[in-house]
Amino acid sequence: MLVNYEVTESVAVLTMQQAPVNGLGLPLRKALREMLHKAFDDATIKGVVLTGGEKVFSAGADIEEFEAGLDGPNFADPYLGSLVDLVEAAGKPVVAAISGVCLGGGLELVLGCHYRVADSSARFGLPEVNLGILPGAGGTQRLPRLIGVEGALDLIVSGEMVDCERAVSLGLIDRVLVDEAEGTAVKKAVQLALEAASSGHWPRLRDVVIRMQANELSQLIEAKIATLRKPLPAALQCIDAVSWSVTLPFEEALGKEYAALRELMASAESQALRHAFFAERRAGKIQGISREVPVRAVTSVAVIGAGTMGSGIAMCCANAGMPVMLLDTSEEAVQRGLQGLAANYGAAIKRGRLTTEVADRRLRLISGSTDFSRIGSADLVIEAVYEDMAVKESVFRAIDSFAQPDAILASNTSTLDLDAIAGFTSRPQDVVGLHFFSPANLMRLLEVVRGAKTRDEVLASAMQFARKIGKVGVVAGVCDGFIGNRMFEEYLRQAYFLLDEGATPLQVDRALEDWGMAMGPLATMDLAGNDIGLAIRKRRKIEQPDRPYSAIPDLVAEMGRFGQKTGAGWYRYDPVTRKRQADPEIDSLVLEYGARNHIARREISDEEIVARCLFALANEGALILREGIAQRASDIDTVYLNGYGFPAHRGGPMFYADKIGLPNVLARIEGFQAGYMGELWQPASLLTELGETGQSFASV
Ligand code: CAA
């Protein structure tokens, strides 16, 4: 039964129970309508309480239904909006009793209720904008009537969740229970329904009239638009829709909201954002391993290497409430690591992101040591030392001798052979890669690398650990650079070749940033360090002599222009603001290089820059997919969306290529073959096969 019906003290309690998150798909909507009518039609019932599960009231509309399009089940009768109207128009008071998450259409349903009671576990949000749509079941009209236009704009345009305390201060809920002794939310809701029934009246949000001067409204709107990093259609539409709550009659505004939802639902942005949502969740599923595989609980961690990466990893563990020991070979290194950590927490307090109390609690979870025998108490040992096989070997031999028998042994290597590292231990089946991205405490992505001998339960445990520390874990096979960095190398190769041919660094970066990348490739290298890029290219010259690079980045690095850390790289950086500025010295260097090497310079369009860089990503992604390094194309997208600043509204490099159409991508690549360094453009066999048969990466 999707909705349980129970009567308490003449109040019908309707409990949604659609696993896993009470998604308001057609079956649940139908069941709700039926149970609501049952309660309304029964003269002995005085009021209704609507509730959900302990952890989830409702996560809103069933997003899977969106994929069937505008004639699909999401828009079938009863549409969510009409269900909300039914609740609001009831001849008996309807009270929502909320525990856990209450999102999107779930919150819209709650706004149709006459009163809202919540316990302290409740969290609220209208995350539709993150899916490229707007709340389409009255949320843009009822929320401003409840909490005011400004608060509604904040919640709807940010798509963020607020906790119960914040919901109270916003005026989102009528009664809140902070501790169990006060009874359950349902019990309180029943009382409230009875009180309202006996008083004979209950408020309906649709009846509220918002009085606001036109100039006040336009100021709020302008201020909100100014906060948008990228004014994407959904966010702008959300702002517009909230303004209708002031300027239009309720019913007319509802009609416009519904029409706007349908239009946005069909947009390319929404399709990409929905893909990103499901791709992230799919990434958590490991092919060939059932959900039932036993996992090893990770309750304490040891991190070896107290440098920037090791310290960042230690912060991730402490932030998730896990005790963590930071180890290094010298006391000085350990102290430096601990001080760096404390400074990071201090900066977070200063920026208002953390309270002193929380930061102190987290810091207390982190201890330092030079005594490697102490890793014996950790469930998970993460190596984060210098990227050199000899160094890794000595560390892993030490880990092997001290770690407890059931411990998971992880390496943070980004380029070295994990299987060789596992071979330094007597238990390669317990070794897994945990490739964090810098800064480790902030970046969401974690590549979880499955070695040739990694045991299923170790991989599953590592994925669970990723989730526990709030990361998006993506399984990758062993190869140089795994998924993300291996692809990034081809992207960079094209960015550099574009300079050879006539583009400036700023043009390359701007073209990709205007397209949506958070940061252009050259600015990214200035952040990562051009010295690191140089070291990789030196290695590549030996390993892959037939895959040359432009020599321009070597010249830049050899000038000591390592990037932001030296104040100059591809750009000059303001020492205080770190703002980048194009540097004529670099532009001349680029020009002279072209002339010296007799490379014909030409005007290069932004469109070509974007196509060359992005199709280089997709082509390498196709190789990675065929080799089984990535489990599925959407995992590759998840890597780029969470670790490389790829814009979510473009869905990821593989999704983007699918949208362009693989036959078109293939044709473009064939065109590039006729151009500068064209011999390096070899379409991946998978891309060729799919392109020639009109299929997509998603179909693999
Ligand atoms: N529809 C369909 N499936 C959903 C869903 C939804 N709204 N929300 C979550 N799920 C599914 C996930 O895909 C996942 O499925 P699998 O187990 O098969 O992978 C499962 O529920 C559990 O989800 P999570 O792994 O994300 O679990 P979590 O505990 O980490 O997070 C959550 C739970 C906070 C609810 C999170 O899933 C979430 O944020 N969901 C999206 C909520 C959302 O965007 N709602 C708005 C929908 S649009 C709308 O409602 C408005 C409208 O008017 C049209």
Side-chain angles (χ1 to χ4, degrees), residues 20-21 59-63 66 103-105 108 127-128 131 133 136-137 277-278 281 285 291 467:
V21 291
D62 180 346
I63 305 167
F66 296 180
L103 299 175
E108 292 181 287
E128 285 85 345
L131 299 171
I133 56 174
F277 176 83
F278 285 116
R281 274 132 194 104
K285 299 178 176 71
R291 280 191 177 198
R467 209 174 151 92

Side-chain angles (χ1 to χ4, degrees), residues 337-527:
L338 293 176
Q339 280 159 14
L341 275 164
N344 270 345
Y345 279 123
I349 296 170
K350 243 190 192 158
R351 274 189 238 114
R353 290 208 188 130
L354 220 55
T355 63
T356 312
E357 191 196 346
V358 172
D360 285 349
R361 196 182 325 129
R362 292 179 181 179
L363 266 171
R364 276 197 299 276
L365 286 168
I366 306 171
S367 55
S369 179
T370 54
D371 177 3
F372 276 45
S373 69
R374 295 184 62 189
I375 64 177
S377 60
D379 303 317
L380 167 66
V381 184
I382 306 174
E383 162 277 310
V385 300
Y386 188 66
E387 198 73 340
D388 176 280
M389 203 46 123
V391 180
K392 303 271 185 201
E393 176 171 358
S394 72
V395 168
F396 266 85
R397 291 203 189 281
I399 294 176
D400 193 24
S401 58
F402 293 120
Q404 52 168 293
D406 276 346
I408 297 168
L409 316 184
S411 170
N412 178 52
T413 183
S414 54
T415 49
L416 301 177
D417 181 353
L418 182 78
D419 293 330
I421 293 173
F424 301 138
T425 72
S426 60
R427 36 181 150 166
Q429 70 281 0
D430 292 331
V431 177
V432 67
L434 287 179
H435 181 214
F436 287 82
F437 288 73
S438 191
N441 53 314
L442 299 180
M443 297 294 287
R444 286 187 84 215
L445 178 64
L446 182 61
E447 282 180 326
V448 178
V449 186
R450 178 185 215 161
K453 296 192 175 154
T454 307
R455 209 181 254 164
D456 285 357
E457 72 179 63
V458 170
L459 188 67
S461 309
M463 287 294 279
Q464 195 186 58
F465 167 74
R467 209 174 151 92
K468 190 167 174 184
I469 59 170
K471 302 285 179 210
V472 179
V474 178
V475 175
V478 176
C479 71
D480 192 341
F482 309 122
I483 298 172
N485 284 350
R486 179 169 151 186
M487 287 168 64
F488 198 74
E489 203 167 326
E490 297 314 312
Y491 173 76
L492 265 185
R493 196 190 308 277
Q494 288 307 317
Y496 295 148
F497 282 152
L498 286 160
L499 302 180
D500 287 8
E501 285 186 84
T504 64
L506 191 61
Q507 191 196 351
V508 172
D509 280 349
R510 278 250 176 93
L512 285 153
E513 287 163 4
D514 287 348
W515 181 83
M517 296 297 290
M519 199 183 256
L522 304 164
T524 303
M525 285 315 292
D526 270 357
L527 190 63

Side-chain angles (χ1 to χ4, degrees), residues 19-24 56 58-66 74-75 79-80 101 103-108 123 125-128 130-131 133-139 161 261 265 277-278 280-282 285 291 467:
V21 291
N22 282 331
L24 288 155
V56 188
S58 166
D62 180 346
I63 305 167
E64 287 196 39
E65 285 190 346
F66 296 180
N74 182 62
F75 294 102
Y79 174 65
L80 184 57
V101 287
L103 299 175
L107 179 51
E108 292 181 287
R123 286 180 294 154
L126 289 169
E128 285 85 345
N130 300 329
L131 299 171
I133 56 174
L134 86 171
M161 257 200 265
L261 170 72
M265 189 84 88
F277 176 83
F278 285 116
E280 186 175 318
R281 274 132 194 104
R282 218 175 290 132
K285 299 178 176 71
R291 280 191 177 198
R467 209 174 151 92

Side-chain angles (χ1 to χ4, degrees), residues 4-22:
N4 186 50
Y5 187 100
E6 220 173 88
V7 178
T8 314
E9 298 174 53
S10 308
V11 172
V13 178
L14 275 52
T15 309
M16 296 179 279
Q17 37 193 27
Q18 166 86 305
V21 291
N22 282 331

